[in-house]
């Protein structure tokens, strides 16, 4: 058990840009994280286990499908509320925010946006309530940054599809009841299929030995002649743009989430620097430590304004994929740099699980890689501003 003294920095009064509903949602999530996540998260990260007892509470705060309409069990909130929720949950732990990103943006969103009414009614309420956990299979052993090259494929067998292939690095796969899987048909066109646990030939081996996202479970998806019912194909969108559309929503949530991790590192380091005395003065009184802290709050403030504006554009359905890439890249990089500096401010104490900083730092090494690496997002911005594709 550890006490949670977190105080959120708001150097530019960004709260004044938020509505009453945004603040209510943000504070309710913040309180829940203090009560339920902080006291247990170090223990679960140390033993590399997902705290399953959090699933019900995550559903209750509305973190599974925050922007999915209430008719399907979602919370029916706007994009800024969704972002603030991710910020608060990642303030607790990136792995727990991962679970919410996957459930909301990578499983519920494609079923809602690309599925038919029967699929929405069958799956969304169970996912919103946390009764079912979902996962999203895009990455393959030989196709990470380049998912368009995927080899997982299915054949039309008349009364069902026959699915073969494998996905790796799949968050939540070992505990998921369903997987939204991206695979090519006989013409090489990418489609989404809902694969359910228990289908013959479908297995989800766990990935061990991670130094990062230890409170989030990761695994593979293996399809060995899996018979998928035809009604499990998502009918309303195909092509690589379909999974990439889901990523836009998840990357947007990560841009907010990273601010939460950065805030927690900054707040912890600031408190520690004011209390820790060396050479007869608190270390906060030394210029070198002030430089670190002043740069941290500057970067957090810039990131807060970036995401608030992006959220406003997203609410108006005007945010572009490239704008989302810029925010994901900037904010995760910012959080990772802050975690590294904050850890140094704590000296030796910074490497222990008594403080959250080292856990955030290790988590952020995954966050900077998944949902498009730091370099891939730079190339997306480069292509957007120059018109030249430097990926290939
Ligand atoms: P490209 O030819 O550029 O595009 C193919 C089609 O897709 C469209 N498109 C998008 N649509 C929606 N949203 C986006 N962000 C889109 N980006 C591109 C594009 O218009 C085109 O449509 P059409 O109709 O013309 O066919 O594709 P490319 O093969 O050159 O690749 C582009 C690239 C490299 C940017 C893309 O492949 C990419 O983003 N790669 C990164 C892969 C990635 O992010 N993987 C994430 C896996 S999931 C994950 O990490 C979950 S972590 C979960 C957690 O725990 O939180
Ligand atoms: P690679 O694509 O092999 O990249 C290696 C390096 O090469 C990177 O630095 C990259 O930036 C660079 N590179 C690649 N292409 C270029 C280029 N054209 N120009 C310049 N540099 C380039 N995937 C899912 O589908 N679902 C999930 O739920 C999921 N969860 C994950 C959870 C964790 C903990 C992790 C670590 C990953 C997860 N992923 C998931 C996979 C993740 O999206 C991929 O790891 C990521 O997209 C990068 O792919 P890769 O690891 O194969 O790296």
């Amino acid at each position: 058990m550890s006490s949670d003294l977190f105080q959120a920095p708001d150097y530019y009064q960004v709260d004044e840009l938020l509505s009453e509903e945004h603040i209510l949602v943000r504070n309710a999530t913040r309180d829940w994280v203090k009560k339920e996540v902080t006291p247990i998260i170090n223990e679960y990260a140390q033993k590399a286990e997902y705290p399953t007892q959090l699933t019900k509470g995550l559903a209750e705060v509305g973190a599974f499908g925050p922007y999915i309409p209430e008719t399907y069990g979602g919370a029916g909130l706007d994009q800024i509320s969704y972002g603030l929720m991710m910020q608060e949950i990642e303030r607790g732990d990136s792995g727990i925010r991962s679970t919410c990103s996957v459930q909301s943006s990578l499983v519920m969103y494609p079923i809602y946006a690309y599925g038919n009414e029967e699929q929405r009614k069958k799956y969304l309420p169970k996912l919103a309530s946390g009764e079912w956990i979902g996962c999203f299979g895009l990455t393959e052993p030989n196709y990470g940054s380049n998912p368009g090259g995927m080899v997982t494929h299915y054949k039309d067998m008349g009364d069902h599809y026959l699915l073969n292939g494998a996905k790796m690095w799949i968050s939540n796969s070992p505990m998921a009841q369903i997987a939204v899987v991206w695979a090519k048909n006989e013409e090489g066109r990418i489609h989404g299929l809902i694969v359910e646990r228990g289908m013959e030939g479908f297995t989800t081996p766990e990935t061990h030995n991670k130094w990062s996202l230890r409170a989030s479970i990761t695994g593979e998806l293996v399809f060995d002649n899996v018979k998928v019912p035809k009604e499990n194909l998502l009918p309303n969108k195909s092509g690589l743009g379909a999974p990439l559309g889901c990523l836009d929503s998840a990357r947007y949530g990560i841009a907010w989430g990273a601010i939460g991790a950065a805030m927690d590192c900054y707040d912890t380091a600031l408190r520690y620097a004011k209390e820790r005395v060396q050479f007869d003065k608190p270390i906060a009184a030394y210029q070198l430590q002030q430089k670190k802290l002043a740069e941290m709050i500057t970067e957090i403030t810039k990131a807060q304004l970036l995401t608030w504006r992006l959220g406003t554009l997203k609410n108006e359905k005007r945010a572009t994929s490239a704008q989302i890439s810029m925010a994901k890249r900037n904010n995760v990089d910012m959080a990772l740099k802050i975690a590294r500096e904050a850890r140094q401010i704590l000296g030796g104490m910074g490497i222990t699980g008594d403080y959250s900083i080292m856990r955030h730092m290790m988590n952020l090494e995954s966050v900077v890689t998944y949902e498009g690496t730091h370099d891939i997002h730079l190339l997306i911005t480069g292509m957007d501003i120059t018109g030249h594709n430097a990926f290939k």
Side-chain angles (χ1 to χ4, degrees):
M1 290 280 284
S2 60
S3 55
D4 187 344
L5 305 171
F6 176 68
Q7 287 191 336
D10 185 13
Y11 203 71
Y12 263 39
Q13 284 95 46
V14 179
D15 268 14
E16 290 174 14
L17 301 171
L18 304 177
S19 69
E20 239 172 73
E21 181 175 78
H22 295 149
I23 292 186
L24 272 174
V25 166
R26 197 264 320 270
N27 291 353
T29 316
R30 184 172 292 168
D31 291 346
W32 181 81
V33 167
K34 279 199 175 196
K35 190 161 160 270
E36 304 293 340
V37 180
T38 314
I40 54 111
I41 195 64
N42 174 54
E43 180 196 338
Y44 279 81
Q46 294 281 4
K47 59 185 184 185
E49 254 181 48
Y50 167 72
T52 47
Q53 70 273 27
L54 296 184
T55 298
K56 192 163 172 280
L58 286 167
E60 282 165 5
V61 296
F64 293 159
Y67 55 87
I68 299 290
E70 286 168 289
T71 350
Y72 301 110
L77 295 167
D78 78 346
Q79 291 292 320
I80 292 184
S81 289
Y82 161 46
L84 287 164
M85 249 185 211
M86 296 305 105
Q87 172 187 290
E88 294 306 315
I89 293 170
E90 191 145 4
R91 208 278 297 170
D93 189 77
S94 304
I96 307 303
R97 195 269 308 135
S98 254
T99 296
C100 303
S101 295
V102 173
Q103 186 87 343
S104 303
S105 292
L106 301 184
V107 180
M108 294 178 74
Y109 174 76
I111 294 173
Y112 173 66
Y114 313 147
N116 58 32
E117 197 52 24
E118 291 79 65
Q119 291 168 336
R120 289 187 197 121
K121 284 189 179 140
K122 176 174 177 188
Y123 297 106
L124 293 178
K126 285 196 167 72
L127 292 161
S129 68
E131 185 184 337
W132 281 1
I133 290 291
C135 67
F136 174 90
L138 181 64
T139 306
E140 297 188 355
N142 292 321
Y143 298 95
S145 297
N146 176 24
M150 70 174 69
V151 293
T152 297
H153 62 280
Y154 64 92
K155 264 189 177 169
D156 189 336
M157 306 301 281
D159 62 342
H160 65 270
Y161 297 120
L162 198 64
L163 179 65
N164 278 289
K167 303 284 177 180
M168 78 179 290
W169 291 119
I170 307 304
S171 298
N172 297 342
S173 82
M175 66 173 180
Q177 277 74 32
I178 64 164
V180 170
V181 176
W182 301 95
K184 285 180 176 164
N185 67 12
E186 284 148 285
E187 287 77 51
R189 181 93 184 148
I190 295 171
H191 285 263
L193 297 157
I194 303 168
V195 180
E196 298 183 24
R197 184 169 296 285
M199 288 181 177
E200 213 180 317
F202 173 42
T203 49
T204 59
E206 186 172 349
T207 303
H208 296 285
N209 276 334
K210 292 183 301 169
W211 283 119
S212 175
L213 285 196
R214 288 169 62 82
S216 159
I217 184 165
T218 314
E220 296 168 45
L221 299 172
V222 182
F223 314 105
D224 180 9
N225 286 320
V226 181
K227 286 183 180 172
V228 181
K230 285 201 150 172
E231 65 264 25
N232 284 28
L233 182 97
L234 297 175
N236 295 332
K237 191 162 167 95
S238 64
L240 186 59
L244 292 178
C246 308
L247 295 182
D248 272 358
S249 177
R251 290 166 176 174
Y252 166 79
I254 291 173
W256 283 89
I259 299 176
M263 281 177 167
D264 198 48
C265 293
Y266 165 76
D267 179 62
T268 305
L270 179 62
R271 190 172 308 105
Y272 189 88
K274 286 178 178 174
E275 287 168 5
R276 174 72 174 166
V277 174
Q278 288 295 289
F279 302 97
D280 305 322
K281 278 203 292 192
I283 59 170
Y286 297 113
Q287 284 184 0
L288 281 175
Q289 306 309 321
Q290 289 188 6
K291 178 174 187 290
K292 287 188 172 73
L293 292 162
E295 285 177 352
M296 285 181 201
I297 190 62
T298 308
E299 292 307 316
I300 288 170
T301 305
K302 282 153 68 178
Q304 285 172 321
L305 292 167
L306 187 71
T307 40
W308 176 82
R309 177 63 187 151
L310 184 63
T312 307
L313 289 173
K314 210 157 187 302
N315 276 339
E316 295 166 2
K317 302 198 185 327
R318 291 197 294 139
T320 66
S321 300
Q323 286 170 337
I324 293 170
S325 279
M326 180 186 280
K328 190 268 184 187
R329 179 176 185 275
N330 180 77
N331 291 9
V332 177
D333 185 54
M334 171 281 298
L336 194 47
K337 285 178 176 149
I338 285 179
R340 288 172 182 152
E341 292 290 297
R343 202 220 53 75
Q344 290 198 55
I345 292 178
L346 267 71
M349 289 311 292
I351 71 148
T352 71
D354 295 349
Y355 293 89
S356 56
I357 296 175
M358 187 86 176
R359 178 169 45 79
H360 283 308
M361 193 171 107
M362 295 196 302
N363 283 342
L364 288 162
E365 292 291 345
S366 287
V367 183
V368 79
T369 295
Y370 69 29
E371 302 266 7
T373 67
H374 188 65
D375 287 341
I376 289 294
H377 288 295
L378 176 126
L379 294 175
I380 291 173
T381 305
M383 183 164 73
D384 196 46
I385 58 175
T386 67
H388 292 286
N389 178 339
F391 293 106
K392 300 171 186 172

